[in-house]
Amino acid sequence: MNMRRIKAIAGIMLAAGIVLPTSSAVALSVTGGGVTATSPWDGDSGRISVYDGSDDGDPGKAEYYRQDSAGTLRTLWNQSGYKTRATSAGGSKIIKFKACDDNDWASDDCSGWVAP
């Protein structure tokens, strides 16, 4: 290869690196009952959100595990009511989560576990 061609290829690769996103943080959402959990939230792999889309008067929650404490089940509650969202603080990467619509005196309606 000649030097001109090498420079052209290098320039194209540099331009592609600037234009294409380098983050692999693609948000994944799951729904249990009328509650939706989303992670990563706002492009941050250490954050999760819970949206309560169920007008039943019961809270919604996300149960999740973080990479740095994989044996500890964590819960983010949304007790603010219908059509509201709660978000977690940042931390290590969320490695799996599920959404649940809390049902007083009955089993919760939960999604399956997913890994973002």
Side-chain angles (χ1 to χ4, degrees), residues 32-63:
V35 174
T36 301
T38 304
S39 185
W41 180 249
D42 202 23
D44 185 339
S45 65
R47 293 185 67 204
I48 189 168
S49 80
V50 180
Y51 177 79
D52 188 350
S54 178
D55 192 11
D56 61 2
D58 293 329
K61 65 183 177 180
E63 293 183 338

Side-chain angles (χ1 to χ4, degrees), residues 40-99:
W41 180 249
D42 202 23
D44 185 339
S45 65
R47 293 185 67 204
I48 189 168
S49 80
V50 180
Y51 177 79
D52 188 350
S54 178
D55 192 11
D56 61 2
D58 293 329
K61 65 183 177 180
E63 293 183 338
Y64 62 100
Y65 291 92
R66 290 189 181 276
Q67 190 168 33
D68 289 351
S69 54
T72 303
L73 175 65
R74 298 174 185 273
T75 304
L76 173 64
W77 286 95
N78 179 352
Q79 298 180 333
S80 298
Y82 180 51
K83 293 189 178 180
T84 63
R85 182 179 306 277
T87 59
S88 73
S92 68
K93 180 180 178 181
I94 293 171
I95 55 174
K96 70 178 181 177
F97 67 97
K98 67 179 179 177

